[in-house]
Amino acid sequence: VQLQASGGGSVQAGASLRLSCASSGVTSSSIHMGWFRQAPGKEREFVSVDTLSDGNTLYADSVKGRFTLSRDTDRNTVYLQMNSLKPEDTAVYYCAARRRRLVLSARRDQRQYDYWGQGTLVTVSS
């Protein structure tokens, strides 16, 4: 199983980027697909996760209203549309997949995820 994240880059504050995470079939069979990020010198943190069965998508408070996660099961790809980027969004972004359903309180916990992509770097300058 492989997850391949792409779409990162260097942008100015206020710009948009769309990250993609292509998989070898994991996307269509995983109950949860998520994004996490790790800023320089910090621990990896939750960004967003969806749930295939009920369409419930969670977002970190810091990105709510600016980021949108979507999933294309036909293309085995999950996306993270990032708008109004801020310098504090600078991080390596990782996609992750979880095959089995998690209770709501566990979906933000990165330890619950089975598969991880290699990460793509997003740099936002002011």
Side-chain angles (χ1 to χ4, degrees):
V1 174
Q2 285 189 324
L3 298 177
Q4 184 75 27
S6 62
S10 297
V11 297
Q12 296 275 332
S16 297
L17 280 175
R18 188 177 78 158
L19 305 183
S20 300
C21 178
S23 72
S24 55
V26 171
T27 306
S28 59
S29 61
S30 295
I31 295 296
H32 303 290
M33 293 295 300
W35 289 94
F36 294 78
R37 68 185 181 185
Q38 186 168 20
K42 296 186 177 181
E43 294 186 354
R44 189 159 58 185
E45 65 177 7
F46 166 78
V47 176
S48 180
V49 63
D50 78 349
T51 303
L52 186 60
S53 58
D54 63 19
N56 187 357
T57 304
L58 302 178
Y59 296 94
D61 288 343
S62 58
V63 307
K64 199 174 296 183
R66 300 187 298 121
F67 290 12
T68 303
L69 185 154
S70 61
R71 188 197 304 212
D72 186 335
T73 54
D74 291 337
R75 296 176 183 267
N76 288 319
T77 302
V78 63
Y79 303 96
L80 186 68
Q81 178 66 42
M82 306 187 296
N83 298 329
S84 302
L85 283 162
K86 303 176 181 181
E88 50 264 43
D89 295 319
T90 294
V92 176
Y93 285 72
Y94 298 90
C95 57
R98 160 83 183 193
R99 287 196 178 275
R100 299 179 67 180
R101 185 180 180 89
L102 291 166
V103 296
L104 185 60
S105 60
R107 294 175 192 176
R108 299 170 187 257
D109 184 355
Q110 60 182 297
R111 297 170 298 178
Q112 305 297 331
Y113 288 78
D114 304 307
Y115 307 107
W116 290 86
Q118 85 288 0
T120 185
L121 177 62
V122 173
T123 303
V124 185
S125 57
S126 57

Coordinates of all heavy atoms in Angstrom, one line a residue, residues 12-107:
Q12 N 2.9 33.0 -1.3 CA 2.8 34.2 -0.4 C 1.5 34.0 0.4 O 0.6 33.3 0.1 CB 2.6 35.4 -1.3 CG 3.8 35.8 -2.1 CD 4.8 36.6 -1.4 OE1 4.5 37.3 -0.4 NE2 6.1 36.5 -1.7
A13 N 1.5 34.7 1.5 CA 0.3 34.6 2.4 C -0.9 35.1 1.6 O -0.8 36.0 0.8 CB 0.5 35.6 3.6
G14 N -2.0 34.4 1.8 CA -3.3 34.7 1.1 C -3.5 33.9 -0.1 O -4.6 33.9 -0.7
A15 N -2.5 33.2 -0.6 CA -2.6 32.3 -1.8 C -3.3 31.0 -1.4 O -3.6 30.7 -0.3 CB -1.2 32.1 -2.3
S16 N -3.5 30.2 -2.5 CA -4.1 28.9 -2.3 C -3.2 27.8 -2.9 O -2.4 28.1 -3.8 CB -5.5 28.9 -3.1 OG -6.4 29.8 -2.6
L17 N -3.4 26.7 -2.4 CA -2.7 25.5 -2.9 C -3.7 24.3 -2.8 O -4.6 24.3 -1.8 CB -1.5 25.1 -2.1 CG -0.2 25.9 -2.4 CD1 0.9 25.5 -1.4 CD2 0.3 25.7 -3.8
R18 N -3.5 23.3 -3.6 CA -4.3 22.1 -3.5 C -3.4 20.9 -3.4 O -2.6 20.7 -4.3 CB -5.3 21.9 -4.6 CG -6.2 20.7 -4.4 CD -7.2 20.5 -5.5 NE -6.7 19.9 -6.6 CZ -7.4 19.2 -7.5 NH1 -8.7 19.1 -7.4 NH2 -6.9 18.7 -8.6
L19 N -3.4 20.2 -2.3 CA -2.6 19.0 -2.1 C -3.4 17.8 -2.6 O -4.6 17.8 -2.5 CB -2.2 18.8 -0.6 CG -1.5 20.0 0.0 CD1 -1.2 19.6 1.5 CD2 -0.3 20.5 -0.7
S20 N -2.7 16.9 -3.1 CA -3.3 15.6 -3.6 C -2.6 14.5 -2.9 O -1.4 14.5 -2.6 CB -3.1 15.5 -5.1 OG -3.8 16.5 -5.8
C21 N -3.3 13.4 -2.7 CA -2.8 12.2 -2.1 C -3.3 11.0 -2.9 O -4.5 10.7 -2.8 CB -3.1 12.1 -0.6 SG -2.5 10.6 0.1
A22 N -2.5 10.5 -3.8 CA -2.9 9.3 -4.6 C -2.5 8.0 -3.9 O -1.5 7.9 -3.2 CB -2.2 9.4 -5.9
S23 N -3.4 7.0 -4.1 CA -3.1 5.8 -3.4 C -3.3 4.6 -4.3 O -3.9 4.7 -5.4 CB -4.0 5.6 -2.2 OG -5.4 5.4 -2.6
S24 N -2.8 3.5 -3.9 CA -3.0 2.3 -4.7 C -4.2 1.5 -4.2 O -4.1 0.3 -3.7 CB -1.7 1.4 -4.5 OG -1.4 1.1 -3.2
G25 N -5.4 2.2 -4.2 CA -6.6 1.5 -3.9 C -7.0 1.7 -2.4 O -8.1 1.4 -2.0
V26 N -6.2 2.4 -1.7 CA -6.5 2.6 -0.2 C -7.6 3.5 -0.1 O -8.5 3.4 0.8 CB -5.2 3.1 0.5 CG1 -5.6 3.5 1.9 CG2 -4.2 2.0 0.5
T27 N -7.7 4.5 -1.0 CA -8.7 5.6 -0.8 C -10.1 5.1 -0.9 O -11.0 5.5 -0.1 CB -8.5 6.7 -1.9 OG1 -7.1 7.1 -1.9 CG2 -9.4 7.8 -1.7
S28 N -10.4 4.2 -1.8 CA -11.7 3.7 -2.0 C -12.1 2.7 -0.9 O -13.3 2.5 -0.7 CB -11.9 3.0 -3.3 OG -10.9 1.9 -3.4
S29 N -11.2 2.1 -0.2 CA -11.5 1.1 0.8 C -11.4 1.6 2.2 O -11.8 0.9 3.2 CB -10.7 -0.2 0.6 OG -9.3 0.1 0.7
S30 N -10.7 2.7 2.4 CA -10.5 3.2 3.8 C -11.7 4.0 4.3 O -12.1 4.9 3.6 CB -9.2 4.1 3.8 OG -8.1 3.3 3.5
I31 N -12.1 3.8 5.5 CA -13.2 4.5 6.0 C -12.8 6.0 6.2 O -13.5 6.9 6.0 CB -13.6 3.9 7.4 CG1 -14.1 2.5 7.2 CG2 -14.6 4.8 8.1 CD1 -15.4 2.5 6.3
H32 N -11.5 6.2 6.7 CA -11.1 7.6 7.0 C -9.8 7.9 6.2 O -8.9 7.1 6.1 CB -10.7 7.7 8.5 CG -11.8 7.4 9.4 ND1 -12.9 8.2 9.6 CD2 -11.9 6.3 10.3 CE1 -13.7 7.6 10.5 NE2 -13.1 6.5 10.9
M33 N -9.9 9.1 5.6 CA -8.7 9.6 4.9 C -8.4 11.0 5.6 O -9.4 11.8 5.7 CB -8.9 9.8 3.4 CG -9.0 8.5 2.7 SD -7.5 7.5 2.6 CE -6.4 8.6 1.8
G34 N -7.2 11.2 5.9 CA -6.9 12.4 6.7 C -5.6 13.1 6.3 O -4.8 12.6 5.5
W35 N -5.5 14.3 6.7 CA -4.3 15.1 6.6 C -3.8 15.6 7.9 O -4.5 16.0 8.8 CB -4.5 16.4 5.7 CG -4.8 16.0 4.3 CD1 -6.0 15.8 3.7 CD2 -3.8 15.9 3.2 NE1 -5.8 15.6 2.3 CE2 -4.5 15.6 2.0 CE3 -2.4 16.0 3.2 CZ2 -3.8 15.4 0.8 CZ3 -1.8 15.8 2.0 CH2 -2.5 15.5 0.8
F36 N -2.5 15.5 8.1 CA -1.8 15.9 9.3 C -0.6 16.8 8.8 O -0.2 16.7 7.6 CB -1.3 14.8 10.1 CG -2.3 13.9 10.7 CD1 -3.0 13.0 9.9 CD2 -2.7 14.1 12.0 CE1 -4.0 12.2 10.5 CE2 -3.7 13.3 12.6 CZ -4.4 12.4 11.8
R37 N -0.1 17.6 9.7 CA 1.1 18.4 9.3 C 2.1 18.6 10.4 O 1.7 18.4 11.6 CB 0.6 19.8 8.8 CG 0.0 20.7 9.9 CD -0.5 22.0 9.4 NE -1.1 22.9 10.4 CZ -1.7 24.0 10.2 NH1 -1.9 24.4 8.9 NH2 -2.1 24.7 11.2
Q38 N 3.3 18.8 10.0 CA 4.4 19.0 11.0 C 5.2 20.2 10.6 O 5.8 20.3 9.6 CB 5.3 17.8 11.1 CG 6.3 17.9 12.2 CD 7.0 16.6 12.4 OE1 7.0 15.7 11.6 NE2 7.6 16.4 13.6
A39 N 5.1 21.3 11.5 CA 5.8 22.5 11.3 C 7.2 22.3 11.8 O 7.5 21.4 12.7 CB 5.1 23.6 12.0
P40 N 8.1 23.1 11.4 CA 9.5 23.0 11.8 C 9.6 23.1 13.4 O 9.1 24.1 13.9 CB 10.2 24.2 11.2 CG 9.4 24.5 9.9 CD 8.0 24.2 10.3
G41 N 10.3 22.2 14.0 CA 10.5 22.2 15.4 C 9.2 21.8 16.2 O 9.3 21.9 17.5
K42 N 8.2 21.4 15.6 CA 7.0 21.0 16.3 C 6.5 19.6 16.0 O 7.0 19.0 15.1 CB 5.8 22.0 15.9 CG 6.1 23.4 16.3 CD 4.9 24.3 16.0 CE 5.1 25.7 16.5 NZ 3.9 26.6 16.3
E43 N 5.6 19.1 16.8 CA 5.1 17.8 16.6 C 4.1 17.8 15.5 O 3.4 18.8 15.2 CB 4.5 17.3 17.9 CG 5.5 17.0 19.0 CD 4.9 16.4 20.3 OE1 3.7 16.2 20.3 OE2 5.7 16.1 21.2
R44 N 3.9 16.6 15.0 CA 2.9 16.5 13.9 C 1.5 16.7 14.5 O 1.2 16.2 15.6 CB 3.0 15.2 13.2 CG 2.1 15.0 12.0 CD 2.6 13.9 11.1 NE 2.7 12.6 11.8 CZ 3.2 11.5 11.2 NH1 3.7 11.5 10.0 NH2 3.2 10.4 11.9
E45 N 0.6 17.4 13.8 CA -0.7 17.7 14.3 C -1.8 17.4 13.3 O -1.6 17.4 12.1 CB -0.8 19.2 14.7 CG -0.7 20.2 13.6 CD -0.8 21.6 14.0 OE1 -0.9 21.9 15.2 OE2 -0.9 22.5 13.1
F46 N -3.0 17.3 13.8 CA -4.1 17.0 13.0 C -4.6 18.2 12.2 O -4.5 19.3 12.7 CB -5.3 16.5 13.9 CG -6.6 16.5 13.3 CD1 -7.0 15.5 12.4 CD2 -7.5 17.6 13.5 CE1 -8.3 15.5 11.8 CE2 -8.8 17.6 12.9 CZ -9.1 16.5 12.1
V47 N -5.0 18.0 10.9 CA -5.5 19.0 10.1 C -7.0 18.7 9.7 O -7.8 19.5 10.0 CB -4.7 19.2 8.8 CG1 -5.3 20.2 7.9 CG2 -3.2 19.6 9.1
S48 N -7.2 17.6 9.1 CA -8.6 17.3 8.7 C -8.7 15.7 8.4 O -7.7 15.1 8.1 CB -8.9 18.0 7.4 OG -10.2 17.7 6.9
V49 N -9.9 15.2 8.6 CA -10.2 13.8 8.3 C -11.6 13.7 7.9 O -12.5 14.4 8.4 CB -9.9 12.9 9.5 CG1 -10.8 13.2 10.7 CG2 -10.0 11.4 9.1
D50 N -11.9 12.8 6.9 CA -13.2 12.5 6.5 C -13.6 11.1 6.9 O -12.8 10.3 7.4 CB -13.4 12.8 5.0 CG -12.9 11.6 4.2 OD1 -12.2 10.7 4.7 OD2 -13.2 11.6 2.9
T51 N -14.9 10.8 6.7 CA -15.4 9.5 7.0 C -16.3 9.1 5.8 O -17.3 9.7 5.5 CB -16.3 9.5 8.3 OG1 -15.5 10.0 9.4 CG2 -16.8 8.1 8.6
L52 N -15.9 8.0 5.2 CA -16.5 7.6 3.9 C -18.0 7.2 4.2 O -18.9 7.5 3.4 CB -15.8 6.4 3.3 CG -16.3 5.9 2.0 CD1 -16.1 7.0 0.9 CD2 -15.5 4.6 1.6
S53 N -18.3 6.6 5.3 CA -19.6 6.1 5.5 C -20.7 7.1 5.8 O -21.8 7.0 5.4 CB -19.6 5.0 6.6 OG -19.1 5.6 7.8
D54 N -20.3 8.2 6.4 CA -21.3 9.2 6.8 C -21.0 10.6 6.3 O -21.8 11.5 6.6 CB -21.5 9.2 8.3 CG -20.3 9.6 9.1 OD1 -19.3 10.2 8.5 OD2 -20.2 9.4 10.3
G55 N -19.9 10.8 5.6 CA -19.6 12.1 5.0 C -19.2 13.1 6.1 O -19.1 14.3 5.7
N56 N -18.9 12.7 7.3 CA -18.5 13.6 8.3 C -17.1 14.0 8.2 O -16.2 13.1 8.2 CB -18.8 12.9 9.7 CG -18.6 13.9 10.8 OD1 -18.2 15.0 10.7 ND2 -18.8 13.4 12.0
T57 N -16.8 15.3 8.0 CA -15.4 15.7 7.8 C -15.1 16.7 9.0 O -15.8 17.6 9.3 CB -15.2 16.5 6.5 OG1 -15.6 15.6 5.4 CG2 -13.8 16.9 6.3
L58 N -14.0 16.4 9.6 CA -13.5 17.2 10.8 C -12.3 18.1 10.3 O -11.5 17.7 9.5 CB -13.1 16.3 11.9 CG -14.1 15.3 12.5 CD1 -13.4 14.5 13.6 CD2 -15.3 16.1 13.0
Y59 N -12.2 19.2 11.0 CA -11.1 20.2 10.7 C -10.6 20.7 12.0 O -11.3 20.9 13.0 CB -11.6 21.4 9.9 CG -12.1 21.0 8.5 CD1 -13.4 20.8 8.2 CD2 -11.2 20.9 7.4 CE1 -13.9 20.4 7.0 CE2 -11.6 20.6 6.2 CZ -12.9 20.3 5.9 OH -13.4 20.0 4.7
A60 N -9.3 20.9 12.0 CA -8.7 21.6 13.1 C -9.2 23.0 13.2 O -9.5 23.6 12.1 CB -7.2 21.6 13.0
D61 N -9.4 23.6 14.3 CA -9.9 25.0 14.4 C -9.0 25.9 13.7 O -9.6 26.9 13.1 CB -9.9 25.4 15.9 CG -11.0 24.7 16.7 OD1 -11.9 24.1 16.1 OD2 -11.0 24.7 17.9
S62 N -7.7 25.7 13.6 CA -6.8 26.6 12.9 C -7.0 26.7 11.4 O -6.6 27.7 10.8 CB -5.4 26.3 13.2 OG -5.1 24.9 12.8
V63 N -7.7 25.7 10.8 CA -7.9 25.7 9.4 C -9.3 25.7 9.0 O -9.6 25.8 7.8 CB -7.2 24.5 8.7 CG1 -5.7 24.3 9.2 CG2 -8.0 23.2 9.1
K64 N -10.2 25.7 9.9 CA -11.7 25.6 9.6 C -12.1 26.9 8.8 O -11.7 28.0 9.2 CB -12.4 25.5 10.9 CG -13.9 25.0 10.8 CD -14.5 24.8 12.1 CE -13.8 23.7 12.9 NZ -14.5 23.4 14.2
G65 N -12.8 26.7 7.8 CA -13.2 27.8 6.9 C -12.3 28.1 5.9 O -12.6 28.9 4.9
R66 N -11.0 27.6 5.9 CA -10.0 27.9 4.9 C -9.6 26.7 4.1 O -9.3 26.8 2.9 CB -8.8 28.5 5.6 CG -9.0 29.8 6.3 CD -7.7 30.4 6.8 NE -7.0 29.6 7.7 CZ -5.8 29.1 7.5 NH1 -5.1 29.4 6.4 NH2 -5.2 28.3 8.4
F67 N -9.6 25.5 4.8 CA -9.2 24.3 4.1 C -10.5 23.4 3.9 O -11.4 23.4 4.7 CB -8.3 23.5 5.0 CG -6.9 24.1 5.2 CD1 -6.6 25.4 4.7 CD2 -5.9 23.4 5.7 CE1 -5.3 26.0 4.9 CE2 -4.6 23.9 5.9 CZ -4.3 25.2 5.5
T68 N -10.4 22.6 2.8 CA -11.5 21.7 2.4 C -10.9 20.4 2.0 O -10.1 20.4 1.1 CB -12.4 22.3 1.3 OG1 -12.9 23.5 1.7 CG2 -13.5 21.3 1.0
L69 N -11.3 19.3 2.7 CA -10.9 18.0 2.3 C -11.9 17.4 1.4 O -13.1 17.5 1.7 CB -10.7 17.1 3.5 CG -10.1 15.7 3.3 CD1 -9.4 15.3 4.6 CD2 -11.2 14.7 3.0
S70 N -11.5 16.7 0.3 CA -12.4 16.0 -0.5 C -11.8 14.7 -1.0 O -10.6 14.5 -1.0 CB -12.8 16.8 -1.7 OG -11.7 17.2 -2.5
R71 N -12.6 13.8 -1.4 CA -12.2 12.4 -1.8 C -12.8 12.0 -3.1 O -14.0 12.2 -3.3 CB -12.5 11.4 -0.7 CG -11.9 10.1 -0.9 CD -12.5 9.0 -0.1 NE -12.5 9.1 1.3 CZ -12.4 8.1 2.2 NH1 -12.3 6.9 1.7 NH2 -12.5 8.3 3.5
D72 N -12.0 11.5 -4.0 CA -12.4 11.0 -5.3 C -12.1 9.5 -5.3 O -11.0 9.1 -5.6 CB -11.7 11.7 -6.4 CG -12.3 11.3 -7.8 OD1 -12.8 10.2 -7.9 OD2 -12.2 12.1 -8.7
T73 N -13.1 8.7 -5.0 CA -12.8 7.3 -4.9 C -12.5 6.6 -6.3 O -11.8 5.7 -6.4 CB -14.0 6.5 -4.3 OG1 -15.2 6.8 -5.0 CG2 -14.2 7.0 -2.8
D74 N -13.1 7.2 -7.3 CA -12.8 6.7 -8.7 C -11.3 6.9 -9.0 O -10.8 6.0 -9.7 CB -13.7 7.4 -9.7 CG -15.1 7.0 -9.6 OD1 -15.4 5.9 -9.0 OD2 -16.0 7.8 -10.0
R75 N -10.7 8.0 -8.6 CA -9.3 8.2 -8.9 C -8.4 7.8 -7.8 O -7.2 8.0 -7.8 CB -9.2 9.7 -9.1 CG -9.9 10.3 -10.4 CD -9.7 11.8 -10.5 NE -10.5 12.3 -11.6 CZ -10.0 12.5 -12.8 NH1 -8.7 12.2 -13.1 NH2 -10.8 13.0 -13.8
N76 N -9.0 7.2 -6.7 CA -8.2 6.8 -5.5 C -7.3 8.0 -5.0 O -6.1 7.8 -4.8 CB -7.3 5.6 -5.9 CG -8.1 4.4 -6.0 OD1 -9.0 4.1 -5.2 ND2 -7.8 3.6 -7.0
T77 N -7.9 9.1 -4.9 CA -7.2 10.3 -4.5 C -8.0 11.1 -3.5 O -9.2 11.3 -3.6 CB -6.9 11.2 -5.8 OG1 -6.2 10.4 -6.7 CG2 -6.1 12.4 -5.4
V78 N -7.3 11.7 -2.6 CA -7.9 12.6 -1.6 C -7.2 14.0 -1.8 O -6.0 14.0 -2.0 CB -7.8 12.1 -0.2 CG1 -6.4 11.9 0.3 CG2 -8.6 13.0 0.8
Y79 N -7.9 15.0 -1.6 CA -7.4 16.4 -1.8 C -7.5 17.2 -0.6 O -8.4 17.0 0.3 CB -8.1 17.1 -3.0 CG -8.1 16.3 -4.3 CD1 -9.2 15.5 -4.6 CD2 -7.1 16.4 -5.1 CE1 -9.2 14.8 -5.8 CE2 -7.1 15.7 -6.3 CZ -8.1 14.9 -6.7 OH -8.1 14.2 -7.9
L80 N -6.7 18.2 -0.5 CA -6.8 19.2 0.6 C -6.7 20.6 -0.1 O -5.6 21.0 -0.5 CB -5.8 19.1 1.7 CG -5.9 20.0 2.9 CD1 -7.2 19.6 3.6 CD2 -4.7 20.0 3.8
Q81 N -7.8 21.2 -0.3 CA -7.8 22.6 -0.9 C -7.5 23.6 0.3 O -8.3 23.6 1.2 CB -9.2 22.9 -1.5 CG -9.3 24.3 -2.1 CD -8.3 24.5 -3.3 OE1 -8.2 23.7 -4.1 NE2 -7.7 25.7 -3.3
M82 N -6.5 24.3 0.1 CA -6.0 25.3 1.1 C -6.1 26.7 0.6 O -5.4 27.0 -0.4 CB -4.6 24.9 1.6 CG -4.4 23.5 2.0 SD -2.8 23.2 2.7 CE -1.8 23.5 1.3
N83 N -7.0 27.5 1.2 CA -7.2 28.9 0.8 C -6.7 29.8 1.9 O -6.6 29.4 3.0 CB -8.6 29.1 0.4 CG -9.1 28.3 -0.7 OD1 -8.4 27.9 -1.6 ND2 -10.4 27.9 -0.7
S84 N -6.5 31.1 1.5 CA -6.1 32.1 2.5 C -5.0 31.6 3.4 O -5.0 31.7 4.6 CB -7.3 32.5 3.3 OG -8.4 32.9 2.5
L85 N -3.9 31.1 2.7 CA -2.8 30.5 3.5 C -2.1 31.6 4.3 O -2.0 32.7 3.9 CB -1.9 29.8 2.6 CG -2.3 28.5 2.0 CD1 -1.5 28.1 0.8 CD2 -2.2 27.4 3.1
K86 N -1.7 31.1 5.5 CA -1.0 32.0 6.4 C 0.4 31.4 6.7 O 0.7 30.2 6.5 CB -1.7 32.0 7.8 CG -3.2 32.4 7.7 CD -3.9 32.3 9.0 CE -5.3 32.8 8.9 NZ -6.0 32.7 10.3
P87 N 1.4 32.3 7.1 CA 2.7 31.8 7.4 C 2.7 30.6 8.4 O 3.5 29.7 8.3 CB 3.4 33.0 8.0 CG 2.7 34.2 7.3 CD 1.3 33.7 7.2
E88 N 1.8 30.6 9.3 CA 1.7 29.5 10.3 C 1.2 28.2 9.7 O 1.2 27.2 10.4 CB 0.8 29.9 11.5 CG -0.5 30.5 11.1 CD -0.6 32.0 11.1 OE1 0.4 32.6 10.6 OE2 -1.6 32.6 11.6
D89 N 0.8 28.2 8.5 CA 0.4 27.0 7.8 C 1.7 26.3 7.2 O 1.6 25.2 6.7 CB -0.5 27.2 6.7 CG -1.9 27.8 7.1 OD1 -2.4 27.3 8.2 OD2 -2.4 28.7 6.5
T90 N 2.8 26.9 7.3 CA 4.1 26.3 6.8 C 4.3 25.0 7.6 O 4.4 25.0 8.8 CB 5.2 27.3 7.0 OG1 5.0 28.4 6.2 CG2 6.6 26.6 6.7
A91 N 4.5 23.9 6.8 CA 4.7 22.6 7.4 C 4.9 21.6 6.3 O 4.6 21.9 5.1 CB 3.5 22.2 8.3
V92 N 5.3 20.4 6.7 CA 5.2 19.2 5.9 C 3.8 18.6 6.1 O 3.5 18.3 7.2 CB 6.3 18.2 6.1 CG1 6.1 17.0 5.3 CG2 7.7 18.9 5.9
Y93 N 3.1 18.4 5.0 CA 1.7 17.9 5.1 C 1.8 16.4 4.7 O 2.3 16.0 3.7 CB 0.8 18.6 4.2 CG 0.4 20.0 4.7 CD1 1.4 21.0 4.8 CD2 -0.8 20.2 5.3 CE1 1.0 22.3 5.3 CE2 -1.2 21.4 5.8 CZ -0.2 22.4 5.8 OH -0.6 23.7 6.4
Y94 N 1.1 15.6 5.6 CA 1.1 14.1 5.4 C -0.4 13.7 5.2 O -1.2 14.1 5.9 CB 1.7 13.4 6.6 CG 3.1 13.7 6.8 CD1 3.5 14.7 7.7 CD2 4.1 12.9 6.3 CE1 4.8 15.0 8.0 CE2 5.5 13.2 6.5 CZ 5.8 14.2 7.4 OH 7.1 14.5 7.7
C95 N -0.6 12.8 4.2 CA -1.9 12.2 4.2 C -1.8 10.8 4.9 O -0.8 10.2 5.0 CB -2.4 12.0 2.7 SG -1.3 11.0 1.7
A96 N -3.0 10.4 5.4 CA -3.0 9.1 6.1 C -4.4 8.4 5.9 O -5.3 9.1 5.5 CB -2.9 9.4 7.6
A97 N -4.4 7.2 6.1 CA -5.6 6.4 5.8 C -5.8 5.4 7.0 O -4.8 4.8 7.5 CB -5.4 5.6 4.5
R98 N -7.0 5.2 7.2 CA -7.4 4.3 8.3 C -8.5 3.4 7.7 O -9.6 3.9 7.2 CB -8.0 5.0 9.5 CG -8.8 4.2 10.4 CD -8.0 3.4 11.4 NE -8.9 2.6 12.3 CZ -8.6 2.0 13.4 NH1 -7.3 2.1 13.8 NH2 -9.4 1.3 14.1
R99 N -8.3 2.1 7.7 CA -9.3 1.2 7.0 C -10.6 1.0 7.8 O -11.7 1.0 7.2 CB -8.7 -0.2 6.8 CG -7.6 -0.2 5.7 CD -7.4 -1.6 5.3 NE -6.4 -1.7 4.2 CZ -6.7 -1.6 2.9 NH1 -8.0 -1.4 2.6 NH2 -5.8 -1.7 2.0
R100 N -10.5 0.9 9.1 CA -11.7 0.7 9.9 C -12.2 1.9 10.6 O -11.4 2.8 10.9 CB -11.4 -0.4 10.9 CG -11.0 -1.8 10.3 CD -10.6 -2.8 11.3 NE -11.8 -3.2 12.0 CZ -11.8 -4.1 13.0 NH1 -10.6 -4.7 13.3 NH2 -12.9 -4.5 13.6
R101 N -13.5 1.9 10.9 CA -14.1 3.1 11.5 C -13.6 3.4 12.9 O -13.4 2.5 13.7 CB -15.6 2.9 11.5 CG -16.4 4.1 11.9 CD -17.9 3.8 12.0 NE -18.7 4.9 12.4 CZ -19.2 5.8 11.5 NH1 -18.9 5.7 10.3 NH2 -19.9 6.8 12.0
L102 N -13.4 4.7 13.1 CA -13.0 5.2 14.4 C -14.2 5.9 15.1 O -15.0 6.6 14.4 CB -11.8 6.2 14.3 CG -10.5 5.6 13.9 CD1 -9.6 6.7 13.5 CD2 -9.9 4.8 15.0
V103 N -14.2 5.9 16.4 CA -15.2 6.7 17.1 C -14.8 8.2 16.9 O -13.6 8.5 16.6 CB -15.3 6.4 18.6 CG1 -15.8 5.0 18.8 CG2 -13.9 6.6 19.3
L104 N -15.7 9.1 17.0 CA -15.5 10.5 16.7 C -14.3 11.0 17.4 O -13.4 11.7 16.9 CB -16.7 11.3 17.0 CG -16.7 12.7 16.6 CD1 -16.5 12.9 15.1 CD2 -18.0 13.4 17.0
S105 N -14.2 10.7 18.7 CA -13.1 11.2 19.5 C -11.7 10.8 19.1 O -10.7 11.4 19.5 CB -13.4 10.9 21.0 OG -13.4 9.5 21.2
A106 N -11.6 9.7 18.4 CA -10.3 9.1 18.0 C -9.8 9.6 16.6 O -8.7 9.3 16.3 CB -10.3 7.6 18.1
R107 N -10.7 10.2 15.9 CA -10.3 10.5 14.5 C -9.2 11.5 14.4 O -8.6 11.6 13.3 CB -11.6 11.0 13.7 CG -12.6 9.8 13.6 CD -13.9 10.3 13.0 NE -14.9 9.2 13.2 CZ -16.2 9.4 12.8 NH1 -16.6 10.5 12.2 NH2 -17.0 8.4 13.0

